[in-house]
Amino acid sequence: MTEPLTMTARVEAPIAEVRHALTDPAAMRVWLAEHAEVDLPHRYAFWGRHTPEGDAPHQNPAYADERALRFSWLLDGEETTVEIDLVAESEKVTLITLSQTHFDFQDVIPGKSIRGVLHTFWTLAIANLVDHLEGREPTPKPDFTSTAPELWARVEIDSPVEEVFDSLIDSEKASAWFGMPIGIEPHVGGRFAMGGLDVDPQPAKILDLVPGERLSIDWGAGMGVGTWELAGSGGKTSLTLVQSGFDTARPPYPAWTGILSGIAELRRFHELPNWRPIWVQEEAA
């Protein structure tokens, strides 16, 4: 049995508001899913194109009170359990801890189970929950029903294009907003290494780099090429992300959803004057 997937995030909102967003169908359709229905303690369901195996609702509530929510979720034939706990860090700040059983990191790269997408799915969902509660636009969600040869998304960032581009190619800045060490050699042919240049034995490769305009990265077999295109106007940046060149029978949903969750933090990194990551390390939770 693998250890449950666990993550904790901080949001500037009181517990009552967080609990409402977790259980209000209209709010859930903003931060979580295309469709949602809630009638606790009898029903807690979400489904649609933004949900893994979202052809129909596959959740059943098990427990709910003002500070906790637990439900089962059938995924790839396995009955998983999701738990969400709320703790007040202060009167206006809440810690959200989510865990889910039956997740294995070994499922992420080969894609042998849809459960391999759960880590990045929940990372993006919780990031969007935080932005929703703090009055910000959510980051685009993945479409798990897409059969297109490309995955793409566009976001607007309230920061000059030169600053946004610099945060994509500067190792220290990229490591800060992405939440893990990233080693970058900012030139065509340079390495782009998750975990750091001394850690990643098979780093990605920079295929194209035009300062302030474009960055293309070859992620290797199965994942294809990711391209970041930037356009500046009025001190703001329009950022378009495209993932292409992958096996259309096995879209790289875990990686793509992880990129989108990173973009959620990239926006905060540039737009919040006193930015700090929403994620709380386990030992500090």
Side-chain angles (χ1 to χ4, degrees):
M1 181 68 69
T2 58
E3 291 294 321
L5 164 70
T6 303
M7 60 185 70
T8 298
R10 177 184 289 108
V11 58
E12 294 187 6
I15 279 184
E17 292 183 12
V18 180
R19 205 272 184 182
H20 176 79
L22 287 171
T23 56
D24 176 69
M28 292 168 65
R29 288 190 287 270
V30 173
W31 67 268
L32 179 61
E34 185 178 15
H35 308 293
E37 293 180 358
V38 179
D39 182 18
L40 292 171
H42 310 291
R43 184 164 175 78
Y44 186 86
F46 54 90
W47 69 101
R49 58 196 175 98
H50 305 310
T51 303
E53 293 190 344
D55 57 309
H58 298 295
Q59 303 85 22
N60 284 297
Y63 179 81
D65 63 19
E66 297 307 306
R67 294 174 180 263
L69 173 66
R70 184 168 69 247
F71 58 91
S72 64
W73 183 1
L74 184 66
L75 281 169
D76 196 21
E78 291 282 354
E79 194 81 12
T80 75
T81 299
V82 179
E83 296 191 31
I84 304 176
D85 295 296
L86 308 179
V87 175
E89 189 174 61
S90 69
E91 184 178 345
K92 297 182 179 180
V93 178
T94 301
L95 297 180
I96 307 167
T97 296
L98 178 142
S99 67
Q100 185 164 3
T101 63
H102 296 80
F103 171 77
D104 189 339
F105 274 106
Q106 300 303 313
D107 292 338
V108 175
I109 300 301
K112 66 179 182 179
S113 171
I114 189 61
R115 296 191 303 276
V117 80
L118 289 174
H119 184 272
T120 53
F121 169 79
W122 281 120
T123 301
L124 176 59
I126 296 300
N128 276 339
L129 172 61
V130 170
D131 277 336
H132 172 67
L133 285 163
E134 294 181 355
R136 296 166 49 78
E137 288 293 319
T139 298
K141 308 176 190 71
D143 181 354
F144 291 105
T145 68
S146 175
T147 58
E150 293 184 343
L151 302 171
W152 76 278
R154 180 177 293 119
V155 297
E156 302 295 320
I157 303 176
D158 191 6
S159 184
V161 67
E162 296 82 9
E163 294 182 9
V164 175
F165 188 81
D166 184 57
S167 68
L168 298 180
I169 63 170
D170 180 276
S171 295
E172 183 176 351
K173 293 177 181 178
S175 298
W177 61 260
F178 199 73
M180 69 176 295
I182 299 178
I184 304 172
E185 295 173 335
H187 56 81
V188 173
R191 293 175 295 170
F192 194 102
M194 305 301 289
L197 294 172
D198 297 330
V199 174
D200 189 346
Q202 296 180 312
K205 180 181 178 181
I206 296 178
L207 297 182
D208 191 14
L209 191 158
V210 180
E213 296 183 15
R214 185 170 59 256
L215 174 67
S216 291
I217 301 171
D218 183 354
W219 294 104
M223 293 178 59
V225 175
T227 299
W228 308 49
E229 298 179 345
L230 301 86
S233 178
K236 299 184 179 182
T237 300
S238 176
L239 175 61
T240 301
L241 300 94
V242 180
Q243 194 80 11
S244 61
F246 52 81
D247 181 355
T248 56
R250 300 175 66 181
Y253 289 131
W256 174 245
T257 311
I259 291 170
L260 293 178
S261 67
I263 293 303
E265 200 65 33
L266 174 67
R267 293 170 57 224
R268 297 173 65 87
F269 177 81
H270 285 283
E271 295 180 349
L272 300 182
N274 298 312
W275 172 82
R276 64 174 174 175
I278 66 170
W279 303 107
V280 179
Q281 297 301 315
E282 185 175 347
E283 62 270 21

